[in-house]
Amino acid sequence: MKKFDKDRLLLAVAGPVIALVSAILLTSVVLIASGKNPIEPYGLMLEQVGFSDVQVLIINQASLYYIAALAVALGFRMNLFNIGVDGQYRLGAMMTAVVGAHVALPSFLQVPLLLLVGALTGAFWAGIAGVLKVKRGVSEVVATIMLNAIATSVIGYLTLTDNFGVLVGDNATTGEMKKSGWVPGINLGTDVGEIYGLVFLAVALGIGYWVVLNRTRFGFDLRATGASETAAAASGVDAKRMVVTAMLISGAVAGISGLPMLLGDVHTYSLSFPAGLGFTAISIALLGRNNPGGIALAALLWAFLDKASPALDYATPVAYEKEIATIMQGLIVFAVVISYEAVRQWGLRRQQKQVGAELAAEAANNNAPKEVAAR
């Protein structure tokens, strides 16, 4: 049985905890500087967790964040910075909505088709950056940033009324999707709301992510290539092929990250569809240390800050700006970078001390027989 490594667990937990505590303390300083109570806003937001409708909103939002963050984490494990998740997510949702509005199949065929469209669209868009990297040496950071801008233009063009757009009031949409493509959720009552049916897809993807990375040869090759392309190549791994494959998989996951809301709630893509999800996912993946369990907790935390913060606007007798939650999110990202580097340095020094102690003990044991023989 593998020995439980408490030091490794401590290092894994220390970074997120330090980042969260630091963000709370820094946010409190901001509140004090503005003449506000530094404690009350947290209590007001925590009170919202007790309301069933807010719980549903948090779970639904967290499912989108979680899938998008898994897409980011897949790139990180390969030492790839896929900033293009936002473009892949929006383009995947838009193409899925277009297909869903023009194709009508039985539900057991329609839903898998729509999931496949989203995944293939995201994979194609991310694959462009992967091919550019291995064929022309273009940084995936630069390529995916540019592809985000291009995705915005492509979406704008395809949603024109001359193409696939349908004007609803002043809002350009792709038209309502066929009902056979709607995914029913868990209805908790008219006053509470409905949990997206594809929340279970997010859970399945998290399990699949862990199994593939930790229990398969492909996952080992991916992690090995991310750690050192030279060492991976020496062991027979095609590093270039792994780069393209990792980008394709990351893009495929990103392409379906908006589908829980698309298939479970709005049933159309419009210019009001949430943007910026991919950039939020980067923060969540970092806070969760690319671990599916850690990402889940980070996604829930982010969704909680999003959905509980509106209560601050209605606080009495003194209202607080809901942007406090945004400040906290930004400070968490800032603190994550610093705390993880501090924890890494601390872990490295701890490891060096342990190695030194073991070498000293081994040297002492080797010298003991010589001293006895000399006597």
Side-chain angles (χ1 to χ4, degrees):
M1 182 179 292
K2 187 177 180 180
K3 185 179 179 181
F4 176 70
D5 192 345
K6 63 180 181 179
D7 290 341
R8 185 176 179 182
L9 177 62
L10 178 63
L11 289 173
V13 173
V17 170
I18 293 173
L20 183 58
V21 171
S22 300
I24 292 174
L25 292 176
L26 290 172
T27 305
S28 298
V29 171
V30 173
L31 287 168
I32 292 173
S34 61
K36 300 292 182 66
N37 188 315
I39 304 298
E40 187 178 20
Y42 307 122
L44 291 172
M45 287 193 291
L46 286 173
E47 286 178 2
Q48 301 305 304
V49 180
F51 298 106
S52 300
D53 56 338
V54 177
Q55 294 170 5
V56 170
L57 292 174
I58 291 173
I59 292 172
N60 287 341
Q61 188 66 34
S63 67
L64 275 68
Y65 285 158
Y66 186 68
I67 298 175
L70 287 179
V72 175
L74 279 163
F76 282 162
R77 296 304 294 264
M78 184 61 193
N79 203 24
L80 295 170
F81 203 173
N82 183 8
I83 298 182
V85 167
D86 196 67
Q88 296 149 23
Y89 137 79
R90 289 185 290 115
L91 198 59
M94 190 275 298
M95 290 303 300
T96 301
V98 168
V99 173
H102 292 84
V103 176
L105 297 174
S107 294
F108 71 93
L109 293 175
Q110 183 84 343
V111 173
L113 172 65
L114 298 179
L115 291 172
L116 185 62
V117 169
L120 290 177
T121 302
F124 169 76
W125 209 245
I128 296 173
V131 172
L132 287 173
K133 183 176 179 65
V134 300
K135 294 296 185 181
R136 292 290 182 265
V138 179
S139 167
E140 75 280 2
V141 175
V142 175
T144 51
I145 288 175
M146 296 306 296
L147 285 167
N148 277 342
I150 296 172
T152 301
S153 298
V154 170
I155 291 170
Y157 173 74
L158 293 178
T159 52
L160 292 174
T161 53
D162 292 339
N163 298 312
F164 298 105
V166 176
L167 200 60
V168 178
D170 295 329
N171 193 14
T173 76
T174 54
E176 188 174 71
M177 300 170 63
K178 307 298 182 183
K179 290 190 176 181
S180 59
W182 298 12
V183 177
I186 303 173
N187 195 333
L188 301 179
T190 55
D191 296 332
V192 177
E194 187 176 273
I195 296 176
Y196 296 153
L198 289 184
V199 163
F200 299 104
L201 174 64
V203 175
L205 287 172
I207 295 172
Y209 170 89
W210 184 88
V211 171
V212 169
L213 282 182
N214 297 284
R215 291 293 184 268
T216 67
R217 174 57 190 266
F218 171 78
F220 174 79
D221 290 346
L222 188 147
R223 288 183 287 112
T225 307
S228 172
E229 288 190 14
T230 304
S235 63
V237 178
D238 187 338
K240 290 185 177 180
R241 181 176 62 84
M242 290 302 298
V243 167
V244 175
T245 302
M247 287 300 292
L248 287 172
I249 297 174
S250 177
V253 176
I256 62 177
S257 58
L259 301 196
M261 181 172 67
L262 179 67
L263 305 186
D265 184 15
V266 295
H267 309 304
T268 187
Y269 185 92
S270 68
L271 298 179
S272 61
F273 203 79
L277 180 73
F279 299 108
T280 301
I282 295 173
S283 304
I284 292 171
L286 286 172
L287 185 59
R289 296 183 67 89
N290 302 323
N291 178 280
I295 292 172
L297 293 175
L300 287 169
L301 172 63
W302 230 262
F304 158 72
L305 291 173
D306 282 345
K307 301 305 179 182
S309 59
L312 299 178
D313 280 339
Y314 307 104
T316 54
V318 178
Y320 295 85
E321 293 76 11
K322 64 181 180 181
E323 283 73 21
I324 289 172
T326 305
I327 293 173
M328 186 181 294
Q329 288 172 338
L331 289 173
I332 287 174
V333 177
F334 181 72
V336 158
V337 177
I338 298 175
S339 64
Y340 280 6
E341 179 59 23
V343 168
R344 189 186 72 82
Q345 292 291 342
W346 176 66
L348 184 61
R349 288 194 298 270
R350 185 182 179 89
Q351 187 178 30
Q352 290 172 341
K353 288 181 180 179
Q354 289 177 341
V355 171
E358 290 174 1
L359 290 174
E362 183 178 352
N365 291 334
N366 290 336
N367 290 332
K370 294 179 182 180
E371 294 176 357
V372 172
R375 292 176 185 175

